[in-house]
Amino acid sequence: MSKRLSTYLLAAALLLAALAPGHVCAQLDARSLMRAQQRGENTNLYGVPNPSAEDEEGQTQQPVDSTRERRIRKPLESYFFSDSIRALPNFKWNVSKDYNRITIEPLDTTLTAWRIDYPFYRNGVGDAPIGALGQGSVPLNYFDRPEWRDFGFAAPFHSYVYDMQNAPFYNGKRPFLQMTYLESGQKRYRETNFEIRHAQNISPSTSFSVDYKSRGTRGLYEWSRTKNQNIAVTFAHTGKRYSVHAGYVNNHIETQENGGVVGEWAIRDTTFEMPSGVPMRLTSSKAENIYRNHAFFLTQSYALPLQRVTENDFSLADLSAVFLGHSIEYDVWSKTYTDVYGEYTDERGSKDADGNFVPTTGTYYSDWFIHPDRSRDSLCERRLSNRFFVQAQPWDRNGVIGTIDGGVGIDLHTYSQFGLGDYFTGKYRREKKTSYFAYGSIAGKIKKYVDWGADLRVYPSGYRGGDMSLGAHLALKGYLRGHALILEGRFSTEKRSPGYWEENLFSNHYVWSNSLAKEHETRIEASFRVPDYALELAAWQGVVTDKIYYGPTGSGDSDVGVRQHGGSVSLTSLYARKDFRLGGFHLDNRVLLQWSTNQEVIPVPLVSAFLSYYYEFWVVRDVLRLQIGLDGRYNTKYYAPGYNPALSVFYNQRETEVGNYPYVDAFVMGKWKRMRIFLKYQHVNRGLFGNGDYFSIARYPLNPGMFKMGISWGFYD
């Protein structure tokens, strides 16, 4: 670490100590945090202002005029929330589009993982990214990879976008505002990350929230600027009988596509004065992708009690009831790809008879079907989805048979792209399809020891007719000396149709009309967790038949198309997480092992790991707490996927192996009351081990060394 960086870190620590107030809440250790998150509890450590008397709903009691009758404030009575959840000062959840259910999510307000500023690194061992903040990625764990049945071109940005499934809803006893700002690098190449969220309750049962995120980079490498903006506006009313969840999400992504380096030699054994000097394959083509998404959704349900409701019944969770509901969603995605004809020069493209390198000139794309020297490919997909569902609660919501669900749905799909006939009409052609489906589930609990469920979905006719999915899960919970032991198993089998764009595409560089068979995939998952000891073990086994993937169709860089494997491929994954604590030292370990029976169809690295070792201590007792340490990522060599800009997809390749390179970040993080701050030097080990092979995706290098700083501050009313 440089002398200048050491000076920055010391100055920041002294500044925090000087500004720190007289009190701060203690930081959770790994064991306590994992236990709290497992229970779905809030892990907020911001603290609260000066204590004051509060009533049962957490509202500060104010002096009142004794001559006026006090208005009774109706409490939060929803069957969605247990007593332990209602007791939290604030909490967050997501809503299901199919069922009358929600999923409680912990609030991220601790030091534990905040330093991981790239969202694609936060789950498990993380993703293999194209490069910087705002750019695409693919999870290293095959079983974490997203299955986007609609508009798969946006799948590389899965860790950024909002949708109905992950749009957050909040409930709090006081308004909540959180702002985050991070930046790094010189102004010309700067990465920026700005986030702001505001959540407020209108009443104990009614709330709204706004989440906005703007993330991107101006690009350390030439022609790699990225701008990623995402917003989610949500409204929820969770009353005793009637509930409604509504929201609007908008995702806007702009990426300059440089196509990766002209040759790996430009990173592995060549030193450039600035990263912007590294030669890329599409810089002269000025290639760019723009993605736009708008989505509206509304889901609501009404309860019909089957028993008399008395004043002593706080909610309907303990009574027999039937819930009638409806869900509607309108989702629009579009993608526009533009470029001009350009060439690149590879200084080491070939060798002469004497073994000397000879420069070669080439073009990225082999075909230009519509225009000979420029492209403007525009694709659009619209989906209007309606679901009608019934949920029966035979006895109580947490009974042996807690809920029995059933529903029917209809999806209206519209696909738009340019076709040959559009030369005469001047309009983009549209193709409409309709899919019908029915689904159901059953779930229950046996006190706090057993949690089980099963679900089924079928498409009897129409578009995607014959598709089917079946799943089941079982969780067993026991206690040893007061410590929870959780053993969980899951099973799923699915038959799914190929995506529309996998069978139909007409663009300037790629044209196909495929007839593909349905994929069939079966998965078995088992996990064992001991939250009090921050221990997690998991295993997955999957078999995929007729796997559809993108792969090479020729010898050129851009010779990529849709492929389908005619046999079966077996996948096995083993995952282990264990966080140790020795005094103030934290040793957090996550390791993933994977085996694929056909690496040409489903390539995965044998070993992937994320290791975080740091020391946490009080600089000033109960005032300022610091973490100082290292984060490291590593995976063994394998034929990592390549990335195609015109198609916006990761594809299998067998030319370049990637991996066997540790990527290490050094960081200092501090927590002062409601404020979190961090200083980090990303890729601190660059050039230390004589290995310049810092690729995660074929031909796309990760960022070289970069200094980062950030701050996050939460406010309560």
Side-chain angles (χ1 to χ4, degrees):
M1 187 179 297
S2 65
K3 181 177 180 181
R4 178 177 296 180
L5 178 58
S6 301
T7 303
Y8 287 158
L9 299 181
L10 179 60
L14 293 175
L15 178 61
L16 285 172
L19 295 176
H23 174 73
V24 69
C25 291
Q27 175 66 30
L28 286 177
D29 57 27
R31 182 179 68 180
S32 301
L33 176 67
M34 192 172 183
R35 182 176 63 243
Q37 290 181 341
Q38 179 64 38
R39 294 197 299 257
E41 294 179 355
N42 180 24
T43 53
N44 175 36
L45 294 184
Y46 279 136
V48 295
N50 293 332
S52 57
E54 295 185 349
D55 59 20
E56 292 182 355
E57 288 302 308
Q59 304 296 324
T60 303
Q61 297 178 352
Q62 301 291 340
V64 296
D65 187 349
S66 59
T67 62
R68 297 179 58 185
E69 182 178 355
R70 183 180 179 183
R71 181 181 178 182
I72 300 176
R73 188 175 178 86
K74 195 173 183 179
L76 175 61
E77 302 172 291
S78 175
Y79 51 87
F80 283 132
F81 311 115
S82 64
D83 291 340
S84 60
I85 296 300
R86 277 191 288 263
L88 298 174
N90 46 56
F91 54 92
K92 181 177 73 171
W93 72 91
N94 304 130
V95 65
S96 169
K97 65 169 66 176
D98 295 325
Y99 302 106
N100 190 40
R101 297 176 188 164
I102 65 168
T103 303
I104 301 295
E105 296 288 338
L107 288 171
D108 177 23
T109 58
T110 69
L111 283 180
T112 305
W114 183 66
R115 66 186 179 277
I116 305 176
D117 54 321
Y118 288 175
F120 47 74
Y121 279 152
R122 290 180 180 172
N123 295 325
V125 296
D127 289 15
I130 292 175
L133 182 67
Q135 297 175 334
S137 65
V138 58
L140 288 167
N141 188 344
Y142 170 80
F143 295 96
D144 287 339
R145 294 177 184 176
E147 294 289 346
W148 283 49
R149 305 193 69 185
D150 300 305
F151 206 76
F153 301 119
F157 303 94
H158 67 96
S159 62
Y160 299 99
V161 300
Y162 282 120
D163 57 25
M164 183 177 176
Q165 296 289 83
N166 64 16
F169 295 86
Y170 299 87
N171 189 291
K173 295 179 174 61
R174 52 178 59 86
F176 173 68
L177 175 67
Q178 185 183 53
M179 293 189 295
T180 300
Y181 181 76
L182 300 85
E183 72 169 33
S184 59
Q186 302 176 19
K187 183 177 181 180
R188 180 180 175 185
Y189 311 107
R190 180 171 297 165
E191 277 189 8
T192 57
N193 185 340
F194 174 72
E195 302 179 14
I196 183 169
R197 60 180 54 89
H198 174 68
Q200 184 167 349
N201 272 53
I202 302 172
S203 71
S205 300
T206 308
S207 62
F208 72 90
S209 67
V210 180
D211 277 65
Y212 173 77
K213 298 180 180 180
S214 176
R215 295 165 288 195
T217 177
R218 296 186 179 182
L220 285 175
Y221 298 107
E222 188 176 6
W223 199 254
S224 60
R225 183 169 182 168
T226 300
K227 183 169 62 175
N228 193 324
Q229 295 178 323
N230 316 94
I231 186 170
V233 181
T234 60
F235 169 85
H237 173 75
T238 51
K240 191 169 187 176
R241 296 194 182 189
Y242 176 70
S243 69
V244 58
H245 291 85
Y248 165 75
V249 300
N250 177 276
N251 300 291
H252 184 91
I253 304 167
E254 297 180 11
T255 63
Q256 293 179 343
E257 307 283 5
N258 59 31
V261 295
V262 298
E264 285 77 8
W265 58 266
I267 297 295
R268 288 174 174 166
D269 55 11
T270 305
T271 302
F272 289 87
E273 183 176 350
M274 295 293 291
S276 57
V278 176
M280 300 292 179
R281 293 182 293 174
L282 278 175
T283 52
S284 64
S285 298
K286 305 301 180 184
E288 187 174 7
N289 267 308
I290 299 178
Y291 309 81
R292 298 180 177 90
N293 170 240
H294 301 272
F296 303 86
F297 63 88
L298 171 70
T299 182
Q300 52 189 333
S301 65
Y302 186 78
L304 302 175
L306 302 180
Q307 296 176 249
R308 181 185 176 187
V309 182
T310 68
E311 294 181 356
N312 296 326
D313 296 313
F314 184 75
S315 77
L316 300 182
D318 299 327
L319 303 177
S320 299
V322 173
F323 303 87
L324 305 178
H326 170 248
S327 178
I328 185 172
E329 180 183 10
Y330 180 68
D331 193 12
V332 182
W333 269 102
S334 67
K335 162 180 147 63
T336 303
Y337 173 79
T338 57
D339 68 15
V340 297
Y341 182 85
E343 297 180 340
Y344 65 87
T345 300
D346 185 351
E347 297 294 338
R348 302 187 186 184
S350 62
K351 290 186 178 181
D352 59 20
D354 298 327
N356 298 317
F357 289 109
V358 177
T360 59
T361 301
T363 59
Y364 189 92
Y365 297 108
S366 302
D367 299 313
W368 298 73
F369 295 108
I370 300 175
H371 197 285
D373 58 14
R374 66 182 61 251
S375 304
R376 191 184 186 281
D377 299 327
S378 180
L379 307 172
C380 181
E381 179 176 334
R382 297 176 177 86
R383 178 173 55 87
L384 177 61
S385 179
N386 272 283
R387 292 168 172 81
F388 299 89
F389 56 85
V390 177
Q391 183 179 73
Q393 188 173 292
W395 294 280
D396 64 81
R397 206 165 186 83
N398 295 316
V400 177
I401 300 179
T403 56
I404 302 174
D405 298 85
V408 295
I410 178 172
D411 286 350
L412 305 177
H413 307 265
T414 303
Y415 304 96
S416 304
Q417 64 173 328
F418 185 81
L420 285 175
D422 300 331
Y423 279 113
F424 303 101
T425 64
K427 297 180 180 179
Y428 281 66
R429 63 174 176 172
R430 293 183 178 181
E431 187 168 357
K432 297 183 179 181
K433 295 181 179 293
T434 305
S435 58
Y436 308 91
F437 55 93
Y439 59 93
S441 72
I442 184 171
K445 297 181 179 180
I446 301 177
K447 295 185 178 180
K448 60 181 180 179
Y449 302 107
V450 179
D451 190 336
W452 67 279
D455 60 85
L456 172 68
R457 178 188 295 264
V458 294
Y459 288 76
S461 63
Y463 181 47
R464 296 174 178 167
D467 286 11
M468 180 274 296
S469 64
L470 172 67
H473 77 271
L474 175 67
L476 305 177
K477 188 174 183 180
Y479 295 87
L480 180 62
R481 297 182 178 178
H483 303 296
L485 310 177
I486 304 169
L487 178 63
E488 187 172 5
R490 294 182 180 273
F491 167 83
S492 67
T493 182
E494 182 179 11
K495 182 186 292 186
R496 53 180 175 260
S497 298
Y500 176 84
W501 304 108
E502 293 171 338
E503 292 192 307
N504 307 274
L505 184 68
F506 188 89
S507 65
N508 200 25
H509 301 304
Y510 299 95
V511 175
W512 58 64
S513 179
N514 299 321
S515 179
L516 304 172
K518 295 180 184 291
E519 286 184 323
H520 189 186
E521 182 170 5
T522 299
R523 296 184 178 186
I524 300 175
E525 175 187 349
S527 64
F528 176 71
R529 299 189 301 277
V530 186
D532 288 353
Y533 290 95
L535 171 66
E536 182 178 357
L537 304 174
W540 295 265
Q541 179 63 50
V543 177
V544 189
T545 304
D546 296 327
K547 175 67 177 178
I548 299 172
Y549 63 98
Y550 287 87
T553 58
S555 58
D557 292 332
S558 65
D559 293 333
V560 176
V562 179
R563 307 288 300 273
Q564 184 163 36
H565 178 61
S568 297
V569 182
S570 177
L571 273 298
T572 304
S573 295
L574 300 176
Y575 174 75
R577 173 189 175 185
K578 181 65 181 84
D579 300 344
F580 299 94
R581 181 175 181 181
L582 304 173
F585 287 98
H586 292 253
L587 308 175
D588 299 348
N589 307 273
R590 303 178 189 178
V591 179
L592 174 69
L593 305 179
Q594 295 185 99
W595 295 269
S596 170
T597 58
N598 193 329
Q599 287 280 351
E600 294 187 13
V601 178
I602 304 179
V604 291
L606 176 61
V607 180
S608 305
F610 169 60
L611 308 177
S612 181
Y613 298 158
Y614 56 92
Y615 183 69
E616 184 173 353
F617 62 100
W618 291 107
V619 176
V620 179
R621 173 63 61 177
D622 297 331
V623 175
L624 175 65
R625 193 168 181 85
L626 286 187
Q627 289 181 356
I628 301 177
L630 301 171
D631 285 341
R633 300 183 181 275
Y634 171 85
N635 62 261
T636 53
K637 274 199 171 186
Y638 76 115
Y639 288 101
Y643 181 74
N644 185 285
L647 297 175
S648 300
V649 297
F650 291 100
Y651 65 90
N652 297 352
Q653 57 86 32
R654 303 295 293 178
E655 296 180 356
T656 303
E657 285 190 294
V658 168
N660 199 27
Y661 182 86
Y663 196 89
V664 182
D665 301 338
F667 64 87
V668 176
M669 293 204 307
K671 185 170 178 60
W672 165 53
K673 202 174 182 180
R674 301 174 185 172
M675 184 178 71
R676 297 175 293 176
I677 187 170
F678 87 82
L679 305 173
K680 178 165 70 173
Y681 195 86
Q682 183 176 311
H683 199 179
V684 70
N685 61 305
R686 183 194 180 198
L688 294 182
F689 307 127
N691 181 355
D693 196 9
Y694 46 93
F695 293 89
S696 184
I697 297 296
R699 289 185 177 266
Y700 281 86
L702 296 171
N703 275 349
M706 178 188 296
F707 177 73
K708 295 186 172 185
M709 62 193 321
I711 186 171
S712 178
W713 206 318
F715 303 88
Y716 295 106
D717 186 12

